[in-house]
């Protein structure tokens, strides 16, 4: 008898071969089933409660997957592609997970029959390349000749992105707001210059867009009510200085022999503070913002001189104000002059709902804007913010890549038909595998029908017939329980959304197919020998 060779640590789980691959595919399908029903205009929402009891209501694929605590290593691939789709394009996160899991589902019988994963990967890559070429040739370029036409295109793309969200009833209102917000930015379209603030209460239609910076009024000391609340063309000082008398630092030690010396120390401290305040006033600033606290003495001092101040402003807000209004963040008041100040056309403090907001409008330097959202429950506002993030990303992508395709499952069916036709021209296993990918792409229109409660088989049969006759933009019409030309219906999506979804799905499928063994190491640590807790020593207590 040969002695057994132990290579891996005791407790290591190892599984390999065909059963391993099938179990990975099954895990991916369970993930897809979790978010399957959120797709499309009639998609349902998920309520996720985390460990601390915080509830999140969402139908954004990436958000749901982020909140699910997924342990299975292969299933984590799907979470990663949803995140990458969210970061790159912003929308289409549910679609990309569905397409990936459906391709795997269609390939599962071939895994059971023993087709080598490499052959399957080659076929999937080939099919994806054909799809990308087809999307490029089909995508409709939009003429940017008139600003009005371009604007209406962007609004339609934003409305399509919002139609599957919680706020689809108000999509007209919000798609205009999103397009306004993105068009206020400069060529680079930086995302961090669109601020989104949430104010509970009021109706959704009371949400407003400020073409500048807005942030919630910071904590203020006595005297702030005497400060003016509105300025036209003010000079703005942005500081990183504490304007208050500080308690001594830890372990600071001053040895004094008499009371007069103590008085001198106190007087110098006051003098330093007043010198700082005096320098700020002389620089001509009318609005003073600081990252650090502004105390009651300073607040009163500014109020007496008709100046406005806000301390403890959040870093994100102060950076956006600095970018928008110009000026430099100052850490010392020694050589403060007019050159380091920013400016804007209008500064105003306004009551919005239960909160007061400081608004800077008409900023000269950078183009920035802030959306102030109103609405009922807090979860509802959070979901509105996520929905608007998707719409903003879509509008940004459409401005950069101005080619669109029809949504509502139209492009997927056209790609499916093209792959079917191509698969009949080749021989061998590849024909079956490319046919499987073609069938998998039909999951999008099928799921749209299922989520709306339609007869998916009947609608898909009619769609296949239309596509075979050459109508390439026919898709599901959720409003009429019918099929329609979605290009005419203005259900548009940027072609980059579809391209990215197909590429990500192809990569994920290849990654999952290429894994043939999983080795799970036992958890390390845990006290004494192995994972057993240490026993308390016997004998006398300490």
């Amino acid at each position: 008898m040969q002695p057994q060779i132990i290579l891996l640590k005791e407790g290591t789980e190892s599984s390999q071969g065909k059963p391993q691959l099938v179990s990975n595919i099954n895990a991916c399908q369970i993930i897809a089933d979790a978010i399957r029903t959120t797709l499309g205009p009639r998609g349902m929402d998920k309520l996720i409660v985390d460990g601390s009891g915080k509830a999140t209501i969402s139908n954004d694929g990436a958000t749901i997957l982020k909140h699910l605590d997924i342990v299975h290593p292969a299933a984590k691939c799907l979470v990663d592609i949803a995140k990458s789709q969210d970061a790159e394009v912003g929308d289409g996160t549910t679609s990309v997970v569905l397409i990936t899991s459906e391709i795997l589902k269609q390939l599962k019988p071939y895994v059971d029959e023993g087709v080598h994963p490499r052959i399957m990967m080659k076929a999937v890559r080939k099919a994806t390349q054909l799809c990308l070429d087809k999307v490029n040739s089909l995508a409709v370029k939009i003429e940017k000749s008139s600003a009005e036409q371009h604007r209406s295109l962007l609004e339609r793309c934003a409305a399509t992105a919002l139609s599957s969200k919680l706020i689809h009833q108000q999509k007209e209102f919000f798609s205009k707001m999103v397009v306004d917000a993105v068009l206020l930015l400069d060529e680079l379209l930086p995302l961090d210059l669109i601020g989104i603030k949430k104010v509970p209460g009021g109706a959704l239609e009371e949400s407003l867009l400020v073409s500048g910076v807005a942030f919630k009024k910071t904590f203020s000391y006595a005297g702030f009510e005497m400060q003016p609340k509105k300025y036209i063309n003010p000079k703005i000082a942005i500081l990183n200085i504490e304007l208050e008398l500080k308690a001594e630092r830890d372990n600071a030690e001053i040895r004094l022999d008499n009371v007069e010396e103590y008085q001198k120390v106190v007087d110098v401290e006051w003098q330093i503070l007043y010198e700082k305040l005096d320098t700020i006033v002389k620089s001509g600033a009318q609005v003073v913002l600081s990252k650090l606290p502004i105390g009651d003495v300073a607040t009163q001092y500014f109020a007496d001189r008709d100046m406005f101040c806000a301390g403890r402003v959040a870093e994100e807000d102060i950076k956006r104000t600095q970018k928008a209004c110009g000026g430099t963040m100052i850490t010392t008041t020694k050589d403060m002059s007019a050159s380091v100040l920013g400016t804007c056309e209008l500064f105003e403090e306004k009551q919005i709902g239960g909160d007061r907001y400081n608004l800077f409008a008409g900023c000269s330097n950078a183009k920035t804007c802030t959306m102030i959202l109103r609405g009922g429950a807090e979860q509802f506002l959070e979901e509105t913010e996520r929905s608007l993030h998707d719409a903003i990303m879509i509008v940004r992508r459409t401005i950069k890549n101005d080619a669109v395709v029809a949504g509502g499952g139209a492009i997927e069916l056209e790609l499916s038909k093209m792959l079917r036709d191509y698969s009949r021209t080749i021989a061998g296993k590849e024909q079956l595998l490319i046919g499987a990918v073609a069938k998998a792409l039909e999951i999008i229109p099928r799921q749209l029908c299922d989520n709306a409660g339609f007869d998916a088989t009947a609608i898909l049969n009619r769609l296949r017939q239309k596509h075979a006759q050459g109508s390439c933009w026919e898709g599901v019409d959720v409003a009429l329980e019918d099929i329609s030309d979605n290009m005419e219906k203005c259900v548009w999506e940027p072609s980059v959304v579809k391209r990215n979804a197909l590429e990500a799905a192809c990569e994920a499928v290849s990654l999952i197919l290429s894994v043939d063994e999983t080795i799970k190491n036992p958890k390390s640590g845990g006290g004494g020998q192995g994972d057993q807790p240490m026993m308390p020593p016997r004998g006398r207590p300490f």
Side-chain angles (χ1 to χ4, degrees):
M1 288 279 290
Q2 284 286 324
Q4 193 180 1
I5 298 170
I6 297 175
L7 187 65
L8 299 170
K9 193 175 166 188
E10 197 181 339
T12 306
E13 294 172 39
S14 162
S15 52
Q16 64 191 105
K18 204 189 292 178
Q20 157 67 24
L21 188 48
V22 171
S23 105
N24 283 350
I25 292 176
N26 291 343
C28 292
Q29 279 173 275
I30 292 166
I31 296 280
D33 289 342
I35 61 168
R36 189 179 288 279
T37 53
T38 66
L39 184 78
R42 297 282 185 274
M44 311 300 267
D45 296 345
K46 304 284 179 200
L47 172 60
I48 304 156
V49 184
D50 62 12
S52 59
K54 184 179 183 294
T56 307
I57 298 175
S58 179
N59 79 351
D60 177 43
T63 309
I64 296 167
L65 291 179
K66 227 177 278 177
H67 281 81
L68 294 177
D69 199 3
I70 292 165
V71 189
H72 196 285
K76 280 185 181 167
C77 294
L78 292 192
V79 182
D80 291 341
I81 58 163
K83 280 184 185 169
S84 79
Q85 177 83 0
D86 197 34
E88 183 62 28
V89 191
D91 199 20
T93 47
T94 311
S95 312
V96 72
V97 174
L98 282 185
I99 292 172
T100 308
S101 90
E102 194 63 21
I103 293 175
L104 288 169
K105 180 182 172 184
Q106 298 297 338
L107 293 177
K108 195 165 134 189
Y110 299 105
V111 174
D112 288 335
E113 284 166 20
V115 177
H116 196 280
R118 282 284 153 201
I119 295 172
M120 289 193 249
M121 285 157 65
K122 188 180 166 196
V124 170
R125 289 220 161 96
K126 180 83 195 257
T128 308
Q129 196 48 55
L130 289 167
C131 287
L132 293 177
D133 295 343
K134 183 74 172 169
V135 169
N136 286 346
S137 64
L138 278 177
V140 178
K141 277 272 187 218
I142 301 298
E143 291 299 319
K144 282 190 181 177
S145 49
S146 76
E148 223 165 87
Q149 253 184 328
H150 189 228
R151 193 194 157 83
S152 72
L153 153 79
L154 295 177
E155 279 179 17
R156 282 165 190 166
C157 286
T160 306
L162 289 173
S163 64
S164 63
K165 305 293 180 197
L166 201 59
I167 50 174
H168 61 90
Q169 256 92 17
Q170 286 84 7
K171 68 180 180 188
E172 297 288 317
F173 173 77
F174 280 113
S175 56
K176 283 192 174 63
M177 189 194 262
V178 164
V179 173
D180 284 337
V182 177
L183 292 179
L184 279 169
L185 303 178
D186 54 17
E187 269 78 79
L188 291 170
L189 306 176
L191 243 192
D192 57 346
L193 286 184
I194 299 182
I196 298 183
K197 303 285 173 194
K198 302 183 283 283
V199 184
L204 269 175
E205 281 84 3
E206 287 173 34
S207 304
L208 66 142
L209 179 69
V210 180
S211 58
V213 182
F215 53 83
K216 195 171 163 184
K217 174 160 187 53
T218 54
F219 173 78
S220 297
Y221 287 95
F224 78 92
E225 280 304 351
M226 295 152 63
Q227 296 174 347
K229 299 288 181 267
K230 189 172 181 180
Y231 293 99
I232 290 168
N233 293 329
K235 291 264 186 283
I236 302 164
I238 298 172
L239 315 174
N240 190 5
I241 307 172
E242 272 177 320
L243 295 175
E244 61 177 351
L245 295 168
K246 288 302 290 170
E248 295 308 330
R249 287 281 164 89
D250 297 349
N251 303 330
E253 195 176 300
I254 307 175
R255 301 195 174 208
L256 307 168
D257 343 37
N258 52 31
V259 179
E260 286 81 18
E261 281 190 22
Y262 177 69
Q263 189 59 46
K264 271 186 202 165
V265 173
V266 174
D267 289 348
V268 167
E269 205 171 358
W270 279 90
Q271 193 184 332
I272 290 170
L273 178 62
Y274 276 124
E275 269 175 20
K276 282 181 186 172
L277 297 176
D278 201 36
T279 320
I280 293 169
V281 173
K282 280 183 182 157
S283 70
Q286 289 158 293
V287 176
V288 180
L289 304 176
S290 179
K291 213 160 122 182
L292 299 172
I294 292 181
D296 41 7
V297 178
T299 307
Q300 192 66 55
Y301 188 90
F302 288 138
D304 294 344
R305 285 155 185 76
D306 278 348
M307 290 165 67
F308 177 89
C309 67
R312 293 199 181 103
V313 181
E315 181 156 3
E316 172 206 350
D317 293 328
I318 212 156
K319 276 187 175 163
R320 280 185 43 237
T321 312
Q322 188 184 344
K323 278 183 185 166
C325 303
T328 317
M329 189 181 279
I330 308 160
T331 48
T332 171
T333 55
K334 283 287 179 257
D335 35 77
M336 199 168 157
S337 62
S339 61
V340 296
L341 303 179
T343 183
C344 67
E345 283 170 26
L346 175 70
F347 168 79
E348 194 175 5
E349 186 172 295
K350 232 179 176 178
Q351 186 81 16
I352 299 178
D355 300 325
R356 281 200 191 172
Y357 269 74
N358 297 335
L359 312 178
F360 297 82
C363 305
S364 51
N365 256 35
K367 312 281 191 261
T368 176
C369 57
T370 309
M371 291 180 174
I372 299 176
L373 304 180
R374 307 297 313 277
E378 195 181 315
Q379 288 95 335
F380 188 79
L381 277 173
E382 282 177 9
E383 177 60 7
T384 306
E385 181 184 1
R386 283 191 287 270
S387 309
L388 289 179
H389 171 265
D390 283 11
I392 288 167
M393 291 289 282
I394 284 293
V395 173
R396 286 174 69 219
R397 288 281 167 247
T398 315
I399 289 176
K400 287 183 178 173
N401 315 320
D402 53 352
V404 294
V405 292
I411 184 76
E412 282 84 6
L413 264 168
E414 186 60 27
L415 295 177
S416 173
K417 166 188 165 277
M418 180 271 299
L419 287 179
R420 268 207 181 86
D421 294 348
Y422 173 78
S423 70
R424 293 192 191 108
T425 63
I426 53 174
K429 293 174 189 167
E430 217 169 35
Q431 177 185 16
L432 298 168
L433 297 169
I434 288 180
V437 176
K439 193 171 179 202
L441 286 172
E442 289 182 356
I443 184 63
I444 302 291
R446 180 182 292 279
Q447 198 61 48
L448 286 172
C449 296
D450 284 346
N451 289 352
F454 304 160
D455 180 351
T457 313
I459 286 183
L460 272 176
N461 283 339
R462 287 167 60 199
L463 280 174
R464 286 194 199 106
Q465 178 204 2
K466 285 282 187 191
H467 280 265
Q469 290 167 357
S471 315
C472 69
W473 295 131
E474 290 287 324
V476 182
D477 186 337
V478 178
L480 301 174
E481 193 173 342
D482 200 2
I483 61 176
S484 66
D485 187 329
N486 280 347
M487 207 45 151
E488 271 178 31
K489 277 274 173 98
C490 299
V491 180
W492 293 353
E493 295 187 75
S495 62
V496 67
V497 176
K498 294 297 168 205
R499 288 173 51 92
N500 211 71
L502 289 165
E503 283 171 351
C506 166
E507 291 303 325
V509 168
S510 303
L511 187 64
I512 289 163
L513 288 176
S514 64
V515 173
D516 73 336
E517 181 168 7
T518 306
I519 300 170
K520 207 171 181 185
N521 289 328
K523 282 184 182 163
S524 58
Q529 282 90 35
D531 274 350
Q532 292 167 352
M534 284 177 73
M535 296 295 290
R538 290 184 179 173
R540 288 172 55 199
F542 294 122

